Amino acid sequence: AQAQAQQHQQQAAALAQFHMLRAAPFQQAMNHQAMNFGLLQHMLNAQAVQVAAAQAQAQQHQQQAAALAQFHMLRAAPFQQAMNHQAMNFGLLQHMLNAQAVQVAAAQAQAQQ
């Protein structure tokens, strides 16, 4: 009985070893897949960080551009106002010159009579 038990034990050990050897390539493939998945996950995380950084930088640039545009608009406002005043003064001057020209023409016409 002991000999038979020992024989069964040896057969069971041999069978277990056989299954382990048969499973080894699958186990190795699983390990490789897990490694590849880990690497892929790491790369995706790195990409996500890069995207977030690029978005933050773009937002910062947009804010800087808006602030700069506002600054230039505020700086240009007095010049714009001065230009408007000059245009108004020029219009007024032109109107006065036209009125004078009409008066001169009237005076010439009167002088000719």
Side-chain angles (χ1 to χ4, degrees):
Q2 280 181 339
Q4 200 174 12
Q6 196 176 11
Q7 191 183 8
H8 282 179
Q9 198 176 9
Q10 286 172 350
Q11 283 176 346
L15 198 60
Q17 194 175 10
F18 170 74
H19 281 298
M20 276 177 60
L21 289 174
R22 272 200 58 200
F26 299 106
Q27 187 60 50
Q28 204 172 11
M30 288 284 285
N31 291 348
H32 280 207
Q33 267 188 328
M35 264 174 39
N36 289 344
F37 181 72
L39 187 60
L40 183 64
Q41 208 169 16
H42 178 72
M43 285 165 63
L44 286 174
N45 287 343
Q47 243 180 352
V49 168
Q50 284 177 342
V51 166
Q55 281 176 335
Q57 200 174 17
Q59 197 173 13
Q60 191 181 10
H61 284 179
Q62 198 174 11
Q63 286 171 349
Q64 284 174 346
L68 198 61
Q70 195 173 12
F71 170 74
H72 282 297
M73 275 176 63
L74 290 173
R75 272 197 62 198
F79 300 106
Q80 187 60 50
Q81 206 170 12
M83 288 284 285
N84 291 348
H85 282 207
Q86 270 188 328
M88 265 173 37
N89 290 344
F90 181 72
L92 189 60
L93 184 64
Q94 207 170 18
H95 180 73
M96 286 166 60
L97 286 174
N98 287 344
Q100 256 184 346
V102 168
Q103 285 176 347
V104 167
Q108 283 178 341
Q110 204 173 17
Q112 280 179 351
Q113 286 176 353

